[in-house]
Amino acid sequence: MTTPIQINANESKTVAAHIAAGLDDLVGAPTLRSDSLARFSASGLPNRRVEAWKYTQLNTLAKTPFHPVIHAPKAKTIPAFDKSFLPDDIAALLVFVDGHLREDLCDLSNMAVSGLALTTLGAALNTDSQKLESHISAGAGIADSLMDLNAAFMTDGAVITLGDGIIVEKPIVIVSHASTPGAAVHMRNVITLGHGAQASIIEINGPAIGESFTNTVSDITLGKNASLIHGRIQNEAALAIHLNRAKVALEERAEYSSFAFASGAALSRQETDVAFNGSGGTARLYGITLGRDGQHIDHTTRVHHGQPDCATEELFKSVLDDHAHGVFQGRIHVAPYAIGTDARQKTQTLLLSGRAVADAKPELEILADDVQCAHGATVGDLDRDALFYMAARGIPPKQARDLLIAGFIEDAIDRFGAINANAATLSTLLRRHFQHWRDTLGDKDNG
Amino acid sequence: MSELLEIHGLHATIDGKEILKGLDLILPAGEVHAIMGPNGAGKSTLSYLLSGREGYTATSGEILFKGQNLLDMDTHERAQAGVFLAFQYPVEIPGVANSIFLKAAVNAQRQARGETPLDAMEFLKRARVSLKALDMDDSFLTRPINVGFSGGEKKRNEIFQMQMLAPALAILDETDSGLDIDALKLVARGVNDMRDAGRGMLVITHYQRLLDHIVPDRIHVLANGRIEKSGGKELALELEASGYGEITSANQSVA
């Protein structure tokens, strides 16, 4: 197979490494892969001149060569995964290492739901790649070029399909580790819920070893009245680069509730694209950033209100210490005929250090009358009145700060947990990951 | 032997403006004193100086609490030593449950005194006794601190905290403001339950109304940055009849 190469691979060591690897050894979807690579080649990696990537630069990808892991690495031990990082009760656990399924680490023993089809992208590419291809969304231009890079080099992921009316009460958990230093991991998840179906899917990107580059894309389609709780928990190792994109399409009255948690990686960007394709849908997009040292953590959302009477609720909270850099970009587009739209966006940042930086870019484009849209962005230090109130009760300053930071984050986790039982389960898990972050923060202070 | 609280010749400024101009006050243990006075006389300034709020600076004079120099201590150290301020405007803190906050406070104070911390069960047991007395249900413990509380609930929450912390010196800053008569009676009962031979209380108020329910041992009138007049509980009625004008202007004519 000929790989069309038009870009100057010298510009980026990672791009060069991908081009050198080629597509020939990748299984399934040859046309999709080569078309995607052709689009990627035409646009290249996003740079700072691309508006959507203005605040987040991918220089490390240019300087360090990350190689696609085309063949499953020989079984090796992965970093010890603390069981408390998983929900207590799960419907299914899928574990991927370097973008390849590790059957020996999966747990499908509780999967007794009829109407739930759970397979892997690797398997689907082998057997029925044409059917799969219809669910894989293509990028449109340079801002999306990483989606194309993913589609060209995707190796594995979860393919979850719920039939009409199927309700899975416990979460389906997708764990992804990078275990080879220098690995470029392209996971692709395809999630489809039929009419009235309900599920909770939690992606956990656990501690990687050394420098790695994860580029995960999830294509999510929710049928009429379907409801999905989608958790993305990112606590990767300090040198990791983590990119994650959820592309979500909602039919009439469907509900998508997402919580993106980021505490790890040197560079992290979790993107959520929502398109309302039917009226009466609801999107709840929540996220937290816990940044310290020189971490760069980005939450980017784009919501397209293309139909009437849909609601969007966004709440993103960041705690930034040391010289961490937090980015929030929230675009809400309301089409001329999307009357009755109710969109609310709120982002709040706590700067714990004078060197930490926060960029917040709300973008509301409203072309319809009779809509309610609101956004608010605050950046600040801990509330002095609250600190005084705590001190006046005998709580020492360090403990007071810790309680206030916890309260700031807890507020978002709490609100999300109130959505439904599945969200409450995810909230419990988020609290544990947050507690873990607080504990390691204490280690740092003492050490 | 020094008294529980002694304030001698206290001068204090906020943003360079002198608010207290030589204030003297003695509060012996076991007594409740009321501080009354017109708006802007420095009543709240006094409460913040006692609790150590940022921005309130004593330029001369001293505050002795159990013989210790209070002005040398940080806010949390004063609280741990037994100073409690019931806030005029209690602060709302989203995300932090009342119980987590109060348990942290109780145990920080116990730890400072060398006592073992209360476990969750013991804390809950004690909390329920106070909550019941103040007609508050258990949900107060899980709600975020003062968020969405009515004015009356906030003030009751202050008294609840005071009961749990059992301070040696309680300063109640306009605890009656924003309360209807039923809430006022509840709060007053909560305060009266705390009267004790080892404890002193300073009740700061505008109105005589609160003093019908919390009967003070002495009343001080704070005007022009100092205590202009002191007397027994009957002084409140006098003030109610004549207002503060006489005291304020009497002083000005002398000056």
Side-chain angles (χ1 to χ4, degrees), chain B residues 39-123:
Chain B
N39 278 326
K43 300 194 299 296
S44 285
T45 299
L46 176 62
S47 74
Y48 289 143
L49 273 162
L50 287 167
S51 53
R53 184 162 205 152
E54 233 181 318
Y56 291 78
T57 319
T59 47
S60 66
E62 62 176 1
I63 304 178
L64 297 175
F65 171 66
K66 293 180 173 174
Q68 292 171 276
N69 191 346
L70 212 52
L71 294 170
D72 286 348
M73 297 159 75
D74 286 338
T75 299
H76 70 281
E77 293 168 339
R78 299 182 197 196
Q80 289 174 355
V83 177
F84 179 91
L85 170 65
F87 282 58
Q88 183 180 359
Y89 304 108
V91 182
E92 296 188 9
I93 308 180
V96 183
N98 236 349
S99 61
I100 289 181
F101 163 63
L102 191 51
K103 189 157 163 272
V106 167
N107 283 335
Q109 297 205 11
R110 290 179 69 91
Q111 204 176 356
R113 290 193 298 262
E115 297 167 10
T116 52
L118 292 185
D119 63 30
M121 286 306 292
E122 186 58 29
F123 172 80

Side-chain angles (χ1 to χ4, degrees), chain A residues 317 383-397 399 403-404 406-408 410-411 414-415, chain B residues 51 53-54 75-76 79-80 84-85 87 91 93-96 100-101 104-105 108-109 145-146 158 161 165:
Chain A
K317 293 201 172 206
D383 179 8
R384 279 165 183 267
D385 289 343
L387 284 170
F388 174 65
Y389 193 63
M390 291 203 161
R393 297 295 175 258
I395 300 175
Q399 194 185 356
L403 280 170
L404 289 179
F408 175 75
E410 181 64 33
D411 182 47
D414 245 17
R415 284 167 196 260
Chain B
S51 53
R53 184 162 205 152
E54 233 181 318
T75 299
H76 70 281
Q80 289 174 355
F84 179 91
L85 170 65
F87 282 58
V91 182
I93 308 180
V96 183
I100 289 181
F101 163 63
Q109 297 205 11
I145 305 166
N146 294 322
E158 294 293 291
Q161 292 174 28
L165 293 167

Side-chain angles (χ1 to χ4, degrees), chain B residues 19-41:
Chain B
I19 305 291
L20 297 184
K21 303 163 185 172
L23 185 140
D24 297 291
L25 185 75
I26 306 283
L27 173 67
E31 294 193 5
V32 173
H33 289 198
I35 304 218
M36 301 184 73
N39 278 326

Side-chain angles (χ1 to χ4, degrees), chain A residues 21 23 45 113 129 268 317 378 382 418:
Chain A
L23 300 175
L45 285 172
V113 185
S129 80
S268 168
K317 293 201 172 206
T378 58
L382 290 166

Side-chain angles (χ1 to χ4, degrees), chain A residues 326-407:
Chain A
V327 176
F328 171 77
Q329 302 186 107
R331 184 176 149 78
I332 295 175
H333 175 87
V334 182
Y337 38 88
I339 53 165
T341 291
D342 184 353
R344 285 155 213 280
Q345 178 188 86
K346 195 154 121 180
T347 171
Q348 296 176 312
T349 302
L350 263 185
L351 293 179
L352 301 180
S353 144
R355 293 175 300 150
V357 175
D359 285 306
K361 189 173 78 168
E363 276 182 284
L364 271 62
E365 193 180 5
I366 304 162
L367 304 175
D369 297 328
D370 190 21
V371 298
Q372 289 195 52
C373 291
H375 73 91
T378 58
V379 178
D381 196 356
L382 290 166
D383 179 8
R384 279 165 183 267
D385 289 343
L387 284 170
F388 174 65
Y389 193 63
M390 291 203 161
R393 297 295 175 258
I395 300 175
K398 190 176 177 301
Q399 194 185 356
R401 288 173 68 83
D402 191 47
L403 280 170
L404 289 179
I405 293 165

